[in-house]
Amino acid sequence: MHVTDTTALINHVQNAYVRCIDSGNLEAWPDFFEDDCVYKITTADNFAQGLEAGVIFANSKGMLRDRVASLREANIYERHVYRHFLGQAWIVSESADQVRSETSFFVARIMRDGTTDVYATGRYIDSYRMNGREPRLRERIVVCDSSRFDTLLALPL
Amino acid sequence: MLDQVSRTPRAIDRVWSNEGVTRVPFWIFQDKEIYAAEQQRIFQGPSWNFLCLAIEVKNTGDFVTTFVGDTPVIVSRDSDGELYAFENRCAHRGALIALESRGNTKAFTCVYHAWSYDRQGNLKEVAFKEGIKGKGGMPPSFCMEQHNPRKLRLAEAFGIVFGSFSNEVPPLEEHLGEEIYSRIGRVMSGRTPVVLGRYTQALPNNWKLYMENVKDSYHASILHLFFTTFELNRLSQTGGIIVDATGGHHVSFSAIDPNAAKSEDYDSQDLRSDTEFKLADPSLLQSFKEFPDNTTLQILSVFPTFVLQQIQNAIAVRQIVPRGPDKTDLHWTLLGFAEDTPEQRLTRLKQANLVGPAGYISMEDGCVGGFVQRGILGAPDEQAIIEMGGSEAESSESRVTEASVRGFWKAYRARMGI
């Protein structure tokens, strides 16, 4: 069935996305996005109030590459990794070359000393350009349920 | 009228070393007694504390809940157009009166027993005050007028609302001094601020470690490599620091001269630097000219816990809320202005990437305080060395100084009496 097929395809690419981040392969992370993408991390409060600014804002793939380069070359933070858990993608709308979807996420952060905390929960509000059978993110708004970020947000969500 | 704040002062049996503000004992970041004394002597003492922005409580009935130190406070606008602030603590049994961050209301009613307050913080209704059928109720001697949450004095500087529990603190403008007051005006005056976004950064450290960091112009180009590499700021550029006479308030500023010769200072000192690092999308740093001067960075702090930031076109206010000796909430409010063009607004959104928990030049500030808090765990009687640039706490043309950090401790010790 077509809807199931789309859901499976989006789930598939989202699994690849979180696997990329959680395995530390950040250099490949921007490739899940279109060149003219928007990527934003914000809070549910900001989102609900229509406030534009969040914790991260990028409106080009170049800015995502810069984010990775800065994390690798410039920024100082204690070594840590994420473990993402995703819900099933909910397909909001679908047209020939565009799929809008929402997906819940749950992210644990594991610090170098083993401290493991629930770092963030929320939802991805996405717009995919389908490129045939190779969907890439035209827009990903990461809406965190909480407005509170513990210490820092280094790795992308 | 301001209600009298009276709390029994507790003696602090700790003694500061005789080396003055060039040494800071680590117990100051650890002791519960110190933390409790700070709430009383600093936050509820003769200081002006940031509460909110006037635009956040623009209309009649608008309110926000905020903090002075760790004390919860309500700010609301009454029908007379004036702002009022009072403790967010029911006079009855002490419950929070308002539970939301912001909203609009005719009155405030405590959910516990429905004691109700007007927008000025006056107790107006006590549920079942007369009892039922002549039984129960409050005694006739109970006088509502004598039972209000404590009220704060309020003052505004260019749309930024400050409050004080103290009757003794001088008027805000005088308290800040001309140099600080005018530099708040430099960023805020003559235009209408717009909140672009908010978030909170939970810091695993004592509030004073964050304030030290804010006032520390020495670390900026060393810890924050992004800053250094992209020449947003170098110690050798023009700029300086301003420390007010009390030491508690400061401004650190720098101006970029794109034609200036590249400094050799960093290369010769083997500091982390990578000139090969280039942005794939340099639009992040393409600023628009916002001010008549050439100052591209102005970090301004008001003692004890307020920061106004201009980093290129990234404007924000930061409120520091202590949550215990080793926990601090840092509330960020990112600002634009109603006069912004769409292009200018986009630049602000892009440059917001510089600050906050994911900020290219500020994410380190979120963790470095925790590094200190953890590092000093077993060494309460050891001391930090704060001697860069000498022992004074005065304004300086050099930013290779810890003068404003010493200024913080000068003001702190005066308020704390230690």
Side-chain angles (χ1 to χ4, degrees):
Chain A
M1 198 171 78
H2 187 59
V3 170
T4 307
D5 187 45
T6 302
T7 305
L9 188 57
I10 298 299
N11 280 332
H12 177 77
V13 74
Q14 297 196 143
N15 282 333
Y17 176 102
V18 299
R19 182 169 179 268
C20 171
I21 294 172
D22 293 354
S23 63
N25 186 20
L26 294 184
E27 282 69 16
W29 167 68
D31 293 331
F32 289 91
F33 293 83
E34 294 282 298
D35 289 344
D36 58 347
C37 64
V38 169
Y39 174 76
K40 190 152 96 171
I41 298 180
T42 189
T43 72
D45 281 348
N46 285 336
F47 189 75
Q49 293 169 43
L51 299 178
E52 298 171 278
V55 177
I56 289 180
F57 172 85
N59 68 348
S60 71
K61 193 169 175 175
M63 286 182 77
L64 301 182
R65 295 206 183 285
D66 291 337
R67 178 62 64 172
V68 174
S70 185
L71 290 173
R72 294 293 197 214
E73 304 296 330
N75 292 121
I76 307 300
Y77 49 94
E78 218 166 354
R79 185 160 51 81
H80 64 276
V81 295
Y82 290 159
R83 182 64 58 193
H84 282 74
F85 297 86
L86 298 186
Q88 297 292 307
W90 174 260
I91 307 301
V92 176
S93 68
E94 189 177 356
S95 61
D97 193 38
Q98 180 179 276
V99 169
R100 291 183 174 277
S101 63
E102 286 189 23
T103 309
S104 295
F105 64 82
F106 176 108
V107 178
R109 184 174 64 181
I110 301 93
M111 303 302 294
R112 71 175 171 86
D113 70 352
T115 305
T116 303
D117 292 304
V118 178
Y119 178 67
T121 66
R123 57 186 167 140
Y124 296 134
I125 300 179
D126 296 327
S127 174
Y128 280 95
R129 195 171 285 156
M130 296 307 282
N131 305 306
R133 297 278 296 170
E134 289 180 24
R136 281 189 295 273
L137 286 159
R138 170 70 184 80
E139 180 177 272
R140 166 156 282 183
I141 314 289
V142 183
V143 181
C144 295
D145 294 324
S146 171
S147 297
R148 180 187 295 265
F149 296 87
D150 179 42
T151 310
L152 51 72
L153 191 156
L155 308 176
L157 292 170
Chain B
M1 198 188 84
L2 189 70
D3 294 2
Q4 190 60 41
V5 176
S6 64
R7 288 192 181 183
T8 314
R10 278 195 286 177
I12 297 170
D13 53 11
R14 295 284 202 175
V15 179
W16 202 284
S17 88
N18 56 15
E19 290 161 283
V21 292
T22 64
R23 294 293 183 276
V24 174
F26 291 135
W27 47 258
I28 205 83
F29 304 114
Q30 300 170 326
D31 283 10
K32 286 187 178 128
E33 293 73 22
I34 294 290
Y35 179 85
E38 287 166 350
Q39 298 305 317
Q40 184 183 53
R41 299 180 194 184
I42 291 178
F43 295 105
Q44 297 186 19
S47 57
W48 283 106
N49 299 274
F50 169 80
L51 296 178
C52 64
L53 299 164
I55 49 151
E56 296 179 287
V57 277
K58 196 174 155 192
N59 303 312
T60 297
D62 284 354
F63 73 91
V64 298
T65 53
T66 181
F67 294 90
V68 169
D70 62 11
T71 302
V73 167
I74 297 171
V75 183
S76 80
R77 194 176 293 281
D78 203 1
S79 47
D80 60 359
E82 296 294 318
L83 282 178
Y84 296 86
F86 48 98
E87 236 184 321
N88 188 3
R89 174 186 59 82
C90 184
H92 178 213
R93 298 272 284 276
L96 291 170
I97 299 168
L99 300 175
E100 292 294 333
S101 300
R102 51 186 47 81
N104 187 283
T105 191
K106 288 191 167 64
F108 297 92
T109 303
C110 177
V111 296
Y112 200 173
H113 302 90
W115 285 33
S116 184
Y117 303 85
D118 67 15
R119 291 182 292 218
Q120 301 185 16
N122 299 308
L123 178 60
K124 288 295 186 187
E125 282 177 44
V126 170
F128 302 119
K129 183 163 175 279
E130 312 301 331
I132 295 174
K133 295 179 182 170
K135 292 181 180 171
M138 296 295 281
S141 60
F142 180 76
C143 177
M144 289 200 293
E145 288 76 20
Q146 290 174 2
H147 296 277
N148 296 321
R150 290 178 293 172
K151 296 179 182 179
L152 286 85
R153 280 170 72 190
L154 284 178
E156 277 185 43
F158 306 103
I160 300 173
V161 182
F162 292 84
S164 181
F165 278 108
S166 168
N167 280 321
E168 281 84 51
V169 65
L172 179 63
E173 193 172 342
E174 184 187 327
H175 175 81
L176 294 174
E178 192 276 333
E179 287 184 305
I180 305 295
Y181 185 80
S182 65
R183 281 168 179 80
I184 296 176
R186 173 182 170 273
V187 177
M188 301 296 291
S189 77
R191 49 187 185 165
T192 309
V194 175
V195 173
L196 299 185
R198 302 181 180 91
Y199 43 74
T200 297
Q201 199 172 352
L203 305 177
N205 55 263
N206 187 274
W207 67 275
K208 299 186 293 297
L209 288 169
Y210 185 75
M211 290 312 294
E212 276 194 323
N213 177 275
V214 163
K215 287 164 173 286
D216 174 6
S217 51
Y218 172 37
H219 85 280
S221 313
I222 298 170
L223 177 65
H224 307 307
L225 186 59
F226 192 90
F227 230 163
T228 308
T229 305
F230 294 99
E231 297 175 358
L232 271 163
N233 179 36
R234 278 177 182 267
L235 290 178
S236 53
Q237 287 176 328
T238 60
I241 59 162
I242 297 164
V243 184
D244 86 309
T246 69
H249 320 309
H250 101 292
V251 177
S252 172
F253 64 97
S254 64
I256 287 177
D257 179 1
N259 301 318
K262 285 195 174 182
S263 166
E264 306 270 321
D265 295 354
Y266 281 83
D267 303 336
S268 63
Q269 292 183 34
D270 194 28
L271 299 177
R272 293 180 297 114
S273 183
D274 181 4
T275 50
E276 300 303 306
F277 184 32
K278 295 280 181 272
L279 289 178
D281 186 346
S283 69
L284 181 81
L285 298 178
Q286 284 162 5
S287 303
F288 60 91
K289 183 147 176 74
E290 187 167 6
F291 302 101
D293 56 33
N294 289 318
T295 299
T296 52
L297 175 143
Q298 177 184 294
I299 304 294
L300 180 152
S301 72
V302 173
F303 189 85
T305 45
F306 171 72
V307 179
L308 171 65
Q309 156 220 305
Q310 176 227 335
I311 299 172
Q312 300 205 357
N313 303 121
I315 315 283
V317 295
R318 312 178 199 164
Q319 180 189 24
I320 294 88
V321 176
R323 299 274 301 229
D326 59 358
K327 285 194 179 66
T328 301
D329 278 353
L330 174 57
H331 298 296
W332 296 79
T333 304
L334 305 173
L335 297 181
F337 294 88
E339 296 80 4
D340 290 346
T341 65
E343 294 74 21
Q344 290 172 337
R345 187 61 58 84
L346 182 61
T347 298
R348 293 198 200 279
L349 293 180
K350 288 183 180 183
Q351 295 194 349
N353 284 297
L354 297 171
V355 302
Y360 283 130
I361 56 166
S362 71
M363 76 168 73
E364 290 89 2
D365 294 328
C367 59
V368 77
F371 296 164
V372 176
Q373 196 80 38
R374 282 149 61 192
I376 65 176
L377 206 57
D381 296 318
E382 298 294 320
Q383 304 176 102
I385 301 164
I386 306 186
E387 219 165 345
M388 187 61 67
S391 60
E392 302 302 313
E394 290 170 354
S395 299
S396 159
E397 283 179 20
S398 169
R399 301 180 73 232
V400 193
T401 177
E402 291 166 315
S404 50
V405 182
R406 287 187 290 275
F408 174 82
W409 291 111
K410 178 183 160 187
Y412 178 89
R413 293 185 66 189
R415 302 287 174 82
M416 289 287 282
I418 55 173

